[in-house]
Amino acid sequence: MRGIPADSLVIGIASSPAERCHLARLLGGSAALLIVSSVEQARDFLGVAGTPPAAAAAPPLPKATARVPEPPQQPPTDLAVDSDRRVLRWRNREVALTRLEHDFLLCLADVPGQVWTYERLHLEVWGNKHLGRGSDMHSVVRRLRRKLARLNAAVTVHAVRGVGFRLAPV
């Protein structure tokens, strides 16, 4: 690549696998290339803690009229996760859960309506850091949605694009 010294480290940040592949093709001529899915991952890799110094921070944006966001609608409380038997109960009906489904749903049901980030869910359910590949998480979500639908539950696992998941009314 032109304009980049040979002894430089090039860091690319892209949230999706397709974007990371595109970056790899664009920056593949670099001697040292690191492609991650978030700024946090880059900081972890480089051993940089916390936020950037104030001098490097962007200038404050001009104040705009604030729009108060609506609080997320709370799902009905008829949903219960029985951890002893590892089952999901909706009113008088039950369905068995796998360990991953149980742990995932337990997080979301803890505070219904609260958004759980991909990273936090991955840490709580899988016990490791989220590496940007979401197929394992989306597979669990798909199975949970089917089971909730089978119970005719008035709740589902709602995706918050680019952030994570929450339990929400259908």
Side-chain angles (χ1 to χ4, degrees), residues 92-120:
N92 62 344
R93 300 178 68 194
E94 293 182 344
V95 66
L97 298 171
T98 66
R99 183 196 67 79
L100 290 174
E101 292 166 348
H102 168 268
D103 294 353
F104 193 94
L105 192 57
L106 204 57
C107 289
L108 298 183
D110 185 38
V111 182
Q114 174 184 329
V115 177
W116 281 67
T117 65
Y118 299 119
E119 290 79 11
R120 187 168 173 213

Side-chain angles (χ1 to χ4, degrees), residues 51-136:
T51 57
L61 297 173
K63 289 189 177 184
T65 55
R67 185 177 67 90
V68 177
E70 294 180 24
Q73 190 178 4
Q74 296 295 319
T77 57
D78 296 339
L79 181 78
V81 180
D82 184 342
S83 293
D84 294 334
R85 296 174 42 229
R86 202 181 288 159
V87 296
L88 167 63
R89 186 174 25 259
W90 175 257
R91 297 188 175 141
N92 62 344
R93 300 178 68 194
E94 293 182 344
V95 66
L97 298 171
T98 66
R99 183 196 67 79
L100 290 174
E101 292 166 348
H102 168 268
D103 294 353
F104 193 94
L105 192 57
L106 204 57
C107 289
L108 298 183
D110 185 38
V111 182
Q114 174 184 329
V115 177
W116 281 67
T117 65
Y118 299 119
E119 290 79 11
R120 187 168 173 213
L121 279 165
H122 222 278
L123 189 60
E124 291 292 322
V125 177
W126 282 266
N128 57 27
K129 286 197 172 199
H130 176 67
L131 299 176
R133 217 184 94 242
S135 59
D136 50 355

Side-chain angles (χ1 to χ4, degrees), residues 112-165:
Q114 174 184 329
V115 177
W116 281 67
T117 65
Y118 299 119
E119 290 79 11
R120 187 168 173 213
L121 279 165
H122 222 278
L123 189 60
E124 291 292 322
V125 177
W126 282 266
N128 57 27
K129 286 197 172 199
H130 176 67
L131 299 176
R133 217 184 94 242
S135 59
D136 50 355
M137 194 173 296
H138 288 283
S139 175
V140 170
V141 169
R142 188 172 39 254
R143 293 192 315 259
L144 278 172
R145 285 177 178 156
R146 278 191 213 128
K147 289 181 179 186
L148 287 163
R150 197 177 327 147
L151 294 174
N152 291 323
V155 297
T156 190
V157 178
H158 177 77
V160 179
R161 187 178 176 100
V163 180
F165 296 97

